[in-house]
Amino acid sequence: MPAALYRQGRLDGDPNPNPTMLTERGKVQTSKAIKDFVLCRDCEQLFNRNGERYAMSQVTQKAGRSFPLLRTLMGCQKTKEAYGFTYYGHRVSPMVERDKLGYFALSVFWRAAAHYWSRPFGKHDQIDLGWHQEALRLYLIGLAPFPKEMMLYFVVCNDPFSQNRFYTPSKSSHPGNTTTHAFQARGLNFLLMTGNDITETMGTLCLMSGLDRWIMVRSCQDMVAGTQARLEMQAEIGKLIGVSRRQN
Ligand SMILES: [Zn+2]
């Protein structure tokens, strides 16, 4: 995850000012970013230029002082409302750089799949994107269009709880042949669906390939709290498995 997320999450003046990070291995308060030397400088700069710099300028800024992307959307005419979501299509919000936000998210998912990152709780399981990983790599370096059997779903969270949290990519569900991975970056919630049974209706919701390139706004508190609970439970189970392994 970008170092900027750790900086923005610090609570200056607090006894422990470090942001809380959640992974499948546990919860930790740290400003130490998960960092390995994996990519060359050119690739790092490509990722930065094509998405990360812009995305980090749009997340909730320190201590919830402002949330530039949400503020921009609130100033736009909404396209529609349904099921608690407010939808903004690209025609009503052309100033939002969707290519960059999407590229940023896809580069985070790809990095989580391409390498075993060292984490505060030791080596972490990679996410498994299967053959989609290579399709994503080719897209990121500009050698292929956005992969067909993939959908990126983007929600901007309008609740303070989600705006102050971030977590690394993890698998959130696996109904049928579609796998969903998700991550959260201070008010930006991204879900990546991969599979060969992505329907046309699901495809229209895609930030990258959908006709209206929807951005959805809603409270993500239940979803983010649910993920937090799931990650905490996985971390507990991981500890128990670790204990029983040591005892055997
Ligand atoms: Zn490179």
Side-chain angles (χ1 to χ4, degrees):
M1 302 299 280
L5 289 177
Y6 296 82
R7 279 198 304 276
Q8 301 291 5
R10 284 177 66 85
L11 291 167
D12 294 331
D14 216 65
N16 187 345
N18 297 318
T20 301
M21 181 181 69
L22 283 169
T23 79
E24 287 171 11
R25 293 292 172 92
K27 185 164 73 171
V28 65
Q29 254 188 298
T30 181
S31 281
K32 202 166 163 282
I34 298 169
K35 197 172 181 181
D36 284 339
F37 294 96
V38 179
L39 298 169
C40 71
R41 201 178 145 74
D42 286 350
C43 290
E44 290 280 8
Q45 283 183 339
L46 180 77
F47 284 3
N48 198 22
R49 196 173 58 236
N50 281 2
E52 191 164 310
R53 194 179 306 148
Y54 174 73
M56 288 304 101
S57 74
Q58 298 300 308
V59 299
T60 308
Q61 306 294 300
K62 217 164 194 177
R65 246 174 254 148
S66 73
F67 187 0
L69 181 58
L70 183 60
R71 195 181 53 211
T72 303
L73 291 170
M74 295 284 98
C76 298
Q77 200 188 346
K78 57 194 171 209
T79 312
K80 65 168 180 175
E81 273 179 299
Y83 306 108
F85 289 90
T86 306
Y87 292 73
Y88 295 88
H90 73 100
R91 272 177 294 243
V92 298
S93 54
M95 70 294 271
V96 177
E97 297 189 46
R98 288 166 167 77
D99 284 341
K100 287 188 173 167
L101 291 168
Y103 186 99
F104 160 71
L106 294 166
S107 77
V108 170
F109 283 117
W110 179 80
R111 280 178 275 190
H115 178 68
Y116 280 100
W117 296 89
S118 314
R119 307 214 174 180
F121 294 89
K123 292 287 180 187
H124 188 275
D125 300 329
Q126 286 162 291
I127 61 165
D128 184 5
L129 295 178
W131 58 268
H132 300 284
Q133 185 184 326
E134 179 60 9
L136 200 48
R137 187 185 72 87
L138 292 172
Y139 165 76
L140 290 170
I141 57 174
L143 291 180
F146 180 71
K148 274 200 179 67
E149 289 165 328
M150 190 175 276
M151 184 187 118
L152 184 68
Y153 189 70
F154 179 37
V155 182
V156 175
C157 315
N158 62 8
D159 64 288
F161 182 81
S162 313
Q163 289 164 4
N164 204 27
R165 275 170 176 72
F166 67 98
Y167 49 77
T168 57
S170 67
K171 185 150 91 178
S172 62
S173 67
H174 196 164
N177 292 323
T178 307
T179 307
T180 304
H181 289 89
F183 79 92
Q184 159 84 14
R186 298 187 62 74
L188 314 186
N189 197 285
F190 293 99
L191 288 101
L192 181 69
M193 288 183 173
T194 49
N196 43 25
D197 59 355
I198 288 176
T199 63
E200 216 171 298
T201 320
M202 287 158 77
T204 59
L205 291 171
C206 181
L207 175 71
M208 304 307 279
S209 60
L211 201 59
D212 287 310
R213 305 194 69 181
W214 295 118
I215 295 176
M216 287 152 271
V217 175
R218 70 167 292 175
S219 166
C220 303
Q221 181 155 346
D222 291 350
M223 180 170 61
V224 172
T227 304
Q228 183 166 331
R230 176 172 59 79
L231 291 172
E232 279 171 347
M233 194 176 74
Q234 281 170 348
E236 283 307 310
I237 292 169
K239 273 184 226 153
L240 292 175
I241 292 170
V243 168
S244 74
R245 277 206 192 112
R246 280 195 295 279
Q247 284 170 346
N248 289 336

